[in-house]
Amino acid sequence: MPQSRYLFAISCFQMNLLREAEAALSPANEPNSEVPNGAAGHYLLGLIYRYTSRRSSAVDHFTQALSIDPLLWAAYEELCILGAVGGASDYFSDVAASRIQQQYLSESSSHKISIGDEDRSIQSSRVLGLNDSSPKQPKNLHSNSIKEISNTHVVMAAGQAANSGSSNLSLYNTPSPVASQLSGIAPPPLCRNGFFNAVSCDGSSKPAANAAILAPRRKAMEEGRLRKVSGRLFSDSGPRRSTRLSGEATAGINSNASQAGGGTGTNHSSSSRFLGGFSSSSSKTSSAAFRTMTGRKGPSCISESFDEGRRKTEVFGDSCGEDASATMSSVAIFVDCRYLEEDKINLHAGGLSVHDSKLINGIRELLGLLRTLGEGYRFSCMHRSQEALEVYQKLSQNQYNTGWVLSQIGKAHFEMVDYFEAARFFDLARRVSPYSLEGMDIYSTILYHLKEEMKLSYLAQELISTDRLAPQAWCAMGNCYSLQKDHETALKNFQRAVHLDSRFAYAHTLSGHEYVALEDFENGIKCYQRALQVDERHYNSWYGLGVIYLRQEKFQFAEHHFRRAFFINPRSSVLMCYLGMSLHSLRRNEEALEMIEKAILADPKNPLPLYQKANILLSLERYDEALMNLDQLKECAPQETSVYALMGKIYKKLNMHEKAMFYFGLALDLKPPATDVAIIKSAMEKLYLPDEMGDSL
């Protein structure tokens, strides 16, 4: 079955068995076979192609997934990560809205027609049931249900009626236990923690029924969860009639159960992210199912339940529950018939119901919102951070102040090396969505650059307590130890993040940074290469490889990797500066100077390009310009020893030995690292030697 192939492919993908997953979705012996499960299947196949370095095939399948389901945001995210999106309006346009509208109207009209035919057959069988039903059968059913569950007599009677019914309905029912049919959704919250007390109207409890209820309820909950998952995964297949009947039965059961419990239950909902699978439900549909359920399942059965309940008041309490249930049943029958008649009139007239028109307007508004969010996200993935910020400013206040948008704004400021603003927006995102871990790895890196040791430690502990199995939490913990110069412990935490999610590229990159800090360049290269296998546009890894080759004096390799990183992120001042350094090492000074000038214009506050420009001017023997740059740099970084050491070297070239000695002394007073101390002292000793003997500085 296609559904089984899709489930098998998901299992293989989660176990990193990508070949088996691809074979399940697209068999080699059937090249023209249809991908199972529609948009979700194409999305999963696109992920497989992406992680096996087949970019063009991945782009094709992500695009097909969006063409089938324009609301599949995950496919659009993947296209942005791959850098294959021309514009958000191409995917969330009015054409997509009209396509969704046509699909919905066709499904809605066919569904209403089937419901009308079904109700006519059931109404005829209901008339026959009123005349021919035996009074003993519902009594026996009800007496059996008393032994199983107290305080839910109407629920069990309705459940038995759902499984009985006319002979033509039984043809569509799949053979399964009653408990599983009654568990299409989660049971009422009365037994949420394993306790079920029969509460009557006067508040008395009957704990004797706990043992009889606990086991079947637990089984019903497990089967209900399984049905939920399968319903999400196979959402494109048409609804079977047995599925609708089971859903209507469970809706009526839960409604009656909440009445029988005195109305004290609360609604609990949870959502999980599946690969392309999501389900939606409307309150109107669920209420209609309840009304239909109550109206269809014979009044004789319910009235017998009322008579039986009056004779057993010691079990079910006083008659307030029965009166409420009787009133609800009679009202439900009337409303159900009126509701069906209105739908038939709207359907035959070719018009739209109020619910349909609201849903269509909602689709248009949602696509408009996705256009704005998609355009901002596209600019972020292209590292056009300022343009992304301008797009996010167009959002309404309610959408702007969401955790996801605030995190994206924080990332944009991080790319612009504005760490204070980035930290502020990430802090706001944490307040809005304290349990969302998306982007927290970037937030921890921001706090690392700001040297906020206390905040970083607190963040790491909070993330670990929130989700110990999230790679973002262990990246934050690793950054905390790296800030304390404990690189070995930091590396262990980053490796823990890699083990939890081998497709988390940033964890591989941070591991590479720690290997470089430990001067283990071989393992550092391996980590960066693994990150690029996951995401070839992860420019941080290209930068890390360039730094390793630059330190190994493999300048051509360094220039190649810095240029690849610069091609991905052409607005980074740091990448421009390091590319200029590699060009300077290759003695291509004019090209290097041009690149350094671009770096200074991209970020005037970054002191590194000014320092490297002075170095290049020194090699070109343009000493006065070099000193002007260094004087400007002193104001930006007054505690940087390398600035004063370079000024001393330039004054030595100009044979101004007193000034050279003065600046060398200033450099030593700032307590530089031990290696720099040795170099500066050696330069001071050779200060009065000829230039050819003192050029070792």
Side-chain angles (χ1 to χ4, degrees), residues 487 491 511-525 548 551-552 675:
H487 299 295
L491 182 59
S511 299
H513 291 342
E514 294 307 310
Y515 276 122
V516 171
L518 295 170
E519 297 188 355
D520 187 352
F521 297 140
E522 183 178 355
N523 283 320
I525 290 174
I548 290 178
R551 293 182 62 174
Q552 291 178 340
T675 55

Side-chain angles (χ1 to χ4, degrees), residues 103-166:
Q103 292 175 356
Y104 170 75
L105 290 178
S106 61
E107 294 175 0
S108 177
S109 60
S110 61
H111 182 63
K112 288 178 180 179
I113 292 173
S114 63
I115 287 180
D117 296 338
E118 187 176 314
D119 285 329
R120 283 194 294 271
S121 64
I122 291 180
Q123 285 175 1
S124 61
S125 64
R126 182 189 303 154
V127 174
L128 294 176
L130 286 172
N131 297 328
D132 301 335
S133 62
S134 173
K136 293 182 180 180
Q137 183 178 359
K139 288 184 180 180
N140 293 332
L141 292 175
H142 181 65
S143 61
N144 291 332
S145 66
I146 293 175
K147 298 177 182 178
E148 297 292 331
I149 302 175
S150 62
N151 198 36
T152 54
H153 56 290
V154 178
V155 174
M156 294 305 296
Q160 294 291 342
N163 292 324
S164 57
S166 59

